[in-house]
Amino acid sequence: MLDTLITSKTRIKLLLKFFLNSHNSAYLRNLESEFGESSNAIRLELNKFEEAGLLTSKLDGNKKMFKANNKHPLFKDIQSILMKYTGLDQIVDEVIEKLGDVHEVYLIGDLGKGIDSPVIDLIIVGNINKSYLINLIAKTEKLIAKKIRYITYEKEEFYTEKNITNSQYNLLLWKSK
């Protein structure tokens, strides 16, 4: 759907990379190898985004690091569109809100890194009914046409696993109030 509105595949990849998880940052050569595209095509799009104020940059040695400008007035709107494009909004609406005692849900894997993927990887923290979760996941997979993989943790167990909680690619999707 998004590819009919935005015809540049490079632009879509950059939007996903920087706006789905605003903690992501990258430099040109890194993006070239990740996307498998020419550095010139990526550079042109990066420059357009930076000129529009959607991306910020800073020098890190000889590398120009890019990051989403989360203070831009369109930041939340772009992020919302990407949540719909990837199906993450449906996961929140159809699964998480109906599970009961959920404390947090994190997006991990390729989508957490800002790379489009047919698989959505989640960490679900809380005391949940796993058979009910399986039913909700099956229904949601049909709705969004993507595979959903998940790991569940009890709250105490999750917070003792430092390698899980400290990853920059873990995108907090939902948190209980």
Side-chain angles (χ1 to χ4, degrees):
M1 175 186 109
L2 192 59
D3 48 349
T4 56
L5 293 172
I6 301 172
T7 56
S8 168
K9 292 190 185 323
T10 304
R11 194 171 297 152
I12 292 173
K13 289 177 183 178
L14 288 170
L15 286 170
L16 286 167
K17 177 71 176 177
F18 294 114
F19 286 87
L20 195 57
N21 185 348
S22 63
H23 298 294
N24 287 340
S25 63
Y27 59 96
L28 180 63
R29 295 288 178 211
N30 175 264
L31 293 169
E32 180 183 22
S33 64
E34 185 177 306
F35 294 171
E37 296 186 25
S38 76
S39 60
N40 195 41
I42 297 169
R43 182 184 295 111
L44 289 171
E45 296 297 341
L46 287 170
N47 290 339
K48 287 177 187 177
F49 282 146
E50 190 174 26
E51 286 171 20
L54 293 168
L55 293 180
T56 61
S57 66
K58 69 177 183 175
L59 287 176
D60 182 15
N62 64 346
K63 298 174 188 167
K64 186 175 183 181
M65 300 296 292
F66 292 91
K67 189 172 176 127
N69 179 3
N70 58 8
K71 292 180 173 68
H72 192 280
L74 294 177
F75 175 81
K76 292 219 181 278
D77 295 323
I78 293 170
Q79 196 172 48
S80 176
I81 289 168
L82 293 172
M83 293 288 276
K84 287 175 177 50
Y85 172 71
T86 57
L88 294 172
D89 65 324
Q90 291 293 318
I91 290 173
V92 171
D93 293 344
E94 299 296 325
V95 178
I96 298 167
E97 294 286 341
K98 297 178 180 177
L99 275 179
D101 189 20
V102 177
H103 297 281
E104 296 171 336
V105 177
Y106 292 87
L107 174 67
I108 60 171
D110 283 344
L111 276 176
K113 295 175 186 172
I115 302 168
D116 199 9
S117 172
V119 178
I120 297 172
D121 293 306
L122 301 172
I123 295 176
I124 303 171
V125 182
N127 300 318
I128 57 170
N129 179 333
K130 291 187 179 154
S131 61
Y132 187 56
L133 173 63
I134 291 168
N135 289 335
L136 289 174
I137 293 284
K139 290 176 187 175
T140 306
E141 283 178 337
K142 289 177 186 170
L143 188 66
I144 65 173
K146 288 191 180 211
K147 176 83 175 129
I148 301 170
R149 292 187 298 208
Y150 60 91
I151 301 170
T152 59
Y153 287 97
E154 297 287 329
K155 190 175 177 181
E156 299 77 26
E157 177 186 23
F158 179 73
Y159 291 114
T160 59
E161 293 285 332
K162 294 198 185 321
N163 60 338
I164 297 170
T165 57
N166 291 337
S167 175
Q168 74 178 41
Y169 300 117
N170 290 354
L171 174 63
L172 179 63
L173 275 185
W174 189 88
K175 185 172 182 147
S176 65
K177 296 173 173 104

